Amino acid sequence: MAKYSMILAILCVFLLSLSMLRPDRWREVEDKARQDALLFASVAERPDRIGFALIQDETIRHLVLFDVNQIPIYPEKDGFVPVRFTLSETQLRDLMEIYAQTAESQWLRFDRDGQKLLNCRKEDAICLVYDRVALEELFGLRTGALKNPGVFNWLNVVLGVVSMALVAFAAWSKLCQHSVGTDLELVPDRYSARRGDLEIALTPRDLKLLKLLIDRQGSVVTKDELYDVGWGRDFMPNSRALDQHIINLRKKLDPDRKLPKIIETVRGVGYRLST
C-alpha cells in the first residue's frame, strides 16, 4: 500500500507541476494592474499626463488615486477628465468605501454583470476599473474567463493536498513496516510480510526470527540467539528444530523458488539475512 501511495503522490506532483507551468490568467492580469498602478502613481501630480495615459489603454475604464488620508486626488473635483473615464458621485463614493476596507490588492466586480472589474491597491494608493472583455482579448482568453475575480486554479490546490496526504500516508506506512533489501516488507501488526506482489502470512515465531535477522541484517546471527528469540531461553536447543523452521520460512518467502535467497546459511554458526 505504501508503494502505491507513493506512486500516486508522484503522479499528483507531476500533474501539479504541469498545471503550474501553464500561465495563470489572474497572475498575468495582476502583473498588468501592478504596472499600471506604478505608471499612474509616477504621474499623480500631472492630471494631463494621467489623462493621456488613460486614452492609450483600451482596457481601463476608470481610475482613482488617493492621498495618505484616503482622499481622492484624481479625478480632481471640477478638474478635467476624459469623458469616457468620468465617474458618477455614487461610483466615486463606492470606490472610496471599498478602498478604505482594502488591505492589499483586491479584485471585485464593479457592476452586476461583471463587465467591469475593480482592482484596488492600498500599497499604490489607487483603484483601477477595467473592461473585462478588453482584458480577456488582451491576454487571448476565452470570453468570460475573468468573470469571477480572484478565482484561482483549484486543481493546483486539490493536487497539492492529495499529494501531501499520500506522501504522509506512505511515510506512516513505512513506520509500521520493516524493509529488507529491495523486495521484502515485514508488517508486524498484521503478522505478515510482502515480497513483491506476494502476501505472506507469518506465525509469531516467524515474526520474531525475521525481526532479529532484520535488526542484524548482513551480520551472522548464531543459532543460540535465534533459539533464545524464537523458543525462549528455557528451550533445549535441537539443531533440527531451527533448521527445519528456517527451511519452512524460506518456502514461505519464495514458494516458487524463483527469487534470490534471503536467508543465507553460515555453516557451523547460524544464519544471515542477505543485504
Side-chain angles (χ1 to χ4, degrees):
M1 180 63 72
K3 177 176 67 176
Y4 298 122
S5 298
M6 187 61 70
I7 292 173
L8 286 173
I10 292 172
L11 177 60
C12 286
V13 171
F14 174 72
L15 293 174
L16 177 61
S17 300
L18 287 181
S19 66
M20 291 179 68
L21 289 175
R22 184 181 59 188
D24 179 74
R25 59 181 184 268
W26 281 107
R27 186 180 299 117
E28 293 178 337
V29 173
E30 175 70 15
D31 287 343
K32 171 177 169 45
R34 184 183 301 109
Q35 293 172 9
D36 291 341
L38 292 174
L39 170 63
F40 290 113
S42 68
V43 294
E45 298 179 358
R46 296 287 304 275
D48 58 325
R49 295 187 63 181
I50 293 176
F52 179 77
L54 284 172
I55 293 173
Q56 303 302 310
D57 194 321
E58 291 295 326
T59 65
I60 300 176
R61 288 294 171 261
H62 308 290
L63 162 70
V64 179
L65 287 164
F66 298 87
D67 63 16
V68 293
N69 297 315
Q70 301 185 11
I71 304 299
I73 57 176
Y74 184 91
E76 296 176 304
K77 190 174 182 179
D78 301 325
F80 172 77
V81 177
V83 176
R84 74 179 175 94
F85 302 104
T86 56
L87 285 164
S88 67
E89 291 185 6
T90 300
Q91 289 176 321
L92 182 58
R93 186 167 56 251
D94 290 344
L95 279 176
M96 292 174 64
E97 291 179 1
I98 294 172
Y99 177 77
Q101 299 172 8
T102 299
E104 52 187 18
S105 177
Q106 182 178 10
W107 287 91
L108 300 168
R109 289 186 179 186
F110 192 61
D111 57 6
R112 181 175 298 179
D113 299 328
Q115 296 300 310
K116 294 180 180 179
L117 300 177
L118 169 65
N119 178 235
C120 286
R121 312 179 68 83
K122 208 58 168 285
E123 61 179 345
D124 299 309
I126 191 172
C127 280
L128 290 154
V129 178
Y130 289 93
D131 183 298
R132 176 180 59 80
V133 175
L135 277 178
E136 290 168 349
E137 290 178 353
L138 176 65
F139 292 105
L141 301 172
R142 62 175 176 79
T143 301
L146 300 176
K147 202 163 188 177
N148 296 311
V151 174
F152 49 87
N153 191 346
W154 282 101
L155 175 62
N156 290 1
V157 177
V158 172
L159 287 174
V161 171
V162 171
S163 298
M164 289 187 291
L166 289 171
V167 170
F169 177 76
W172 175 82
S173 298
K174 283 295 183 182
L175 292 176
C176 300
Q177 300 171 349
H178 294 279
S179 296
V180 181
T182 58
D183 64 350
L184 179 66
E185 290 181 336
L186 192 61
V187 188
D189 57 344
R190 293 178 55 183
Y191 285 91
S192 66
R194 298 189 190 95
R195 194 174 187 192
D197 297 328
L198 179 65
E199 185 83 19
I200 306 159
L202 300 175
T203 66
R205 182 170 292 155
D206 292 339
L207 192 61
K208 291 177 182 179
L209 295 175
L210 280 175
K211 277 187 174 180
L212 178 58
L213 289 167
I214 289 170
D215 291 340
R216 304 267 293 278
Q217 185 175 359
S219 300
V220 178
V221 181
T222 66
K223 290 185 177 183
D224 287 342
E225 291 174 312
L226 290 167
Y227 270 121
D228 287 345
V229 167
W231 285 264
R233 293 183 180 275
D234 296 331
F235 181 79
M236 295 298 294
N238 180 325
S239 62
R240 294 307 306 159
L242 176 61
D243 292 342
Q244 189 60 47
H245 198 92
I246 294 296
I247 290 172
N248 292 336
L249 192 52
R250 283 171 174 161
K251 290 179 180 179
K252 287 184 179 182
L253 298 176
D254 183 17
D256 297 328
R257 298 184 180 181
K258 295 180 179 179
L259 301 173
K261 185 182 293 185
I262 286 182
I263 303 175
E264 302 172 351
T265 300
V266 180
R267 293 188 180 279
V269 182
Y271 297 92
R272 175 175 56 212
L273 205 68
S274 61
T275 56

